[in-house]
Amino acid sequence: MGDIVKKETSTELKATDPITFGITPVSKSKINPQAVALVNEFLPELDEKTKFFDRNNSQSTLSMMSLTMLNGHSPHRMLRQVLAETEKRKMALAEAQVSHAKALKNIDKLQEKVFLEPDNKIAQAKLRAAFVGIEMMESKINGSFKDIATLITSYNNLKENFGIEDWSEEEFEESEKKHHVRRGFELMYRNLLDGGRASTSTIEYMQQYGVHPQVGFVEVQGYISVVNELISKQQIPHSNHLEEFLDAMSDKYYKEADKTTERIFGKTDITNTDIVSLIEKKDDKTKRSETE
């Protein structure tokens, strides 16, 4: 059993006996010595490997699932999702710093108590528990940093892959019609694979963005027939084959959304650029710098 290390300064922290927790049983018959020996031998390795999972998702899950869920492969949508995921982790870190500061203060008090009352077993046990708690807390904090680093990497890779040097809210709005038209065809494809018919929600969705639902139905039916023929010839297409079809449908039909906005609002472009952002436009900054 390890002894509590006496406090030398108010900020010195030393973890003590994280495996047995300083427990001395009153009835030794209640503690299995073989189990204790096994725990002492292997728990350090389990503790070390647990650090791999100090967050909810792996880098692969975060990059390939969280960023594409409900977004498809829309680059601007994925960039926006990076921002949303990062915001959540920033909030978690902001809250964690408060909990961490409280935990440090509690450890400081417990160390002082143990120093003044070296025979106080309750204070010793609380101090051990506090060390274990703060170690777990710092592991989770590290996981949040790793998640944010993963998201930043994904953000930079997306920009590089799609040739996006900088982007604004206005550019995001401009990309939305293409995204929703593409999403409509994606849902139609899933409907036909799942039950052979278009759902009411998919029909409405496509109609909202100007694509006639029967046209979308026929396009997707045709694509399914093409893929079925490839498979019958032992040609196994990659899922990129589907993504390319959806891209083609988006390029072919996204202008239909303009006709819908013109019918409803009297204009094809309904984005009010005066309210999209408080950030000064790049063109305005460039013009002003040239005149100075």
Side-chain angles (χ1 to χ4, degrees):
M1 303 290 180
D3 295 327
I4 290 289
V5 178
K6 291 184 178 180
K7 177 180 154 186
E8 296 176 3
T9 68
S10 61
T11 57
E12 182 183 11
L13 299 178
K14 294 184 180 178
T16 60
D17 207 3
I19 299 173
T20 59
F21 301 100
I23 295 173
T24 304
V26 174
S27 176
K28 293 188 177 180
S29 64
K30 299 295 183 183
I31 302 295
N32 186 312
Q34 287 81 13
V36 173
L38 192 65
V39 170
N40 282 329
E41 182 179 357
F42 290 105
L43 189 56
E45 180 179 345
L46 269 63
D47 283 342
E48 179 64 28
K49 302 306 179 187
T50 300
K51 295 176 183 177
F52 298 164
F53 307 103
D54 48 13
R55 57 208 192 280
N56 292 331
N57 292 321
S58 66
Q59 292 190 40
S60 176
T61 302
L62 185 57
S63 300
M64 299 186 71
M65 293 179 67
S66 298
L67 299 187
T68 59
M69 195 173 296
L70 302 179
N71 294 320
H73 288 195
S74 165
H76 285 87
R77 276 278 176 139
M78 286 188 283
L79 288 172
R80 187 185 73 163
Q81 191 63 28
V82 168
L83 304 184
E85 295 289 337
T86 302
E87 276 297 295
K88 288 194 293 186
R89 286 155 182 83
K90 279 170 57 182
M91 281 303 303
L93 284 173
E95 293 169 1
Q97 71 173 347
V98 178
S99 299
H100 190 266
K102 289 180 179 179
L104 287 175
K105 186 176 181 179
N106 183 47
I107 287 174
D108 193 50
K109 288 180 179 179
L110 288 170
Q111 283 183 313
E112 183 70 30
K113 193 173 186 66
V114 169
F115 179 71
L116 295 174
E117 304 173 26
D119 296 327
N120 189 328
K121 300 299 183 184
I122 295 177
Q124 291 176 15
K126 287 183 177 180
L127 181 56
R128 290 189 184 95
F131 277 127
V132 173
I134 200 166
E135 185 177 352
M136 293 175 63
M137 186 187 302
E138 288 177 350
S139 179
K140 294 299 182 183
I141 289 171
N142 184 56
S144 293
F145 278 114
K146 287 162 69 176
D147 270 355
I148 293 174
T150 298
L151 289 165
I152 289 171
T153 300
S154 296
Y155 183 86
N156 290 334
N157 287 341
L158 284 167
K159 287 176 61 180
E160 181 179 357
N161 186 49
F162 289 98
I164 302 172
E165 293 185 7
D166 193 11
W167 62 288
S168 64
E169 186 180 353
E170 184 175 350
E171 289 170 39
F172 173 82
E173 290 291 344
E174 289 173 357
S175 73
E176 278 290 86
K177 289 179 182 178
K178 294 191 73 171
H179 160 72
H180 286 293
V181 168
R182 188 185 195 277
R183 183 67 172 168
F185 278 95
E186 185 175 24
L187 292 175
M188 180 69 78
Y189 176 78
R190 292 179 183 181
N191 288 166
L192 296 188
L193 280 192
D194 185 44
R197 57 185 293 274
S199 71
T200 302
S201 58
T202 298
I203 292 171
E204 181 179 13
Y205 190 14
M206 297 193 85
Q207 192 173 345
Q208 285 171 330
Y209 280 87
V211 179
H212 195 294
Q214 286 182 254
V215 172
F217 185 90
V218 171
E219 288 275 24
V220 173
Q221 261 192 338
Y223 174 73
I224 291 174
S225 297
V226 168
V227 174
N228 284 337
E229 186 175 351
L230 289 174
I231 295 172
S232 70
K233 295 177 181 178
Q234 305 300 313
Q235 299 177 32
I236 310 302
H238 187 272
S239 64
N240 284 348
H241 191 277
L242 172 60
E243 300 298 340
E244 288 164 5
F245 165 73
L246 297 175
D247 287 343
M249 291 298 97
S250 177
D251 290 338
K252 183 175 180 180
Y253 290 105
Y254 82 94
K255 286 291 185 182
E256 300 301 300
D258 290 342
K259 298 175 186 177
T260 300
T261 55
E262 189 169 21
R263 173 185 171 85
I264 297 173
F265 302 106
K267 56 180 68 176
T268 58
D269 186 3
I270 59 173
T271 302
N272 185 341
T273 57
D274 293 331
I275 63 172
V276 292
S277 179
L278 294 175
I279 300 174
E280 190 176 24
K281 293 182 179 180
K282 290 183 293 183
D283 291 344
D284 293 341
K285 288 190 290 185
T286 302
K287 289 177 182 177
R288 192 168 65 233
S289 63
E290 289 175 352
T291 58
E292 290 177 349

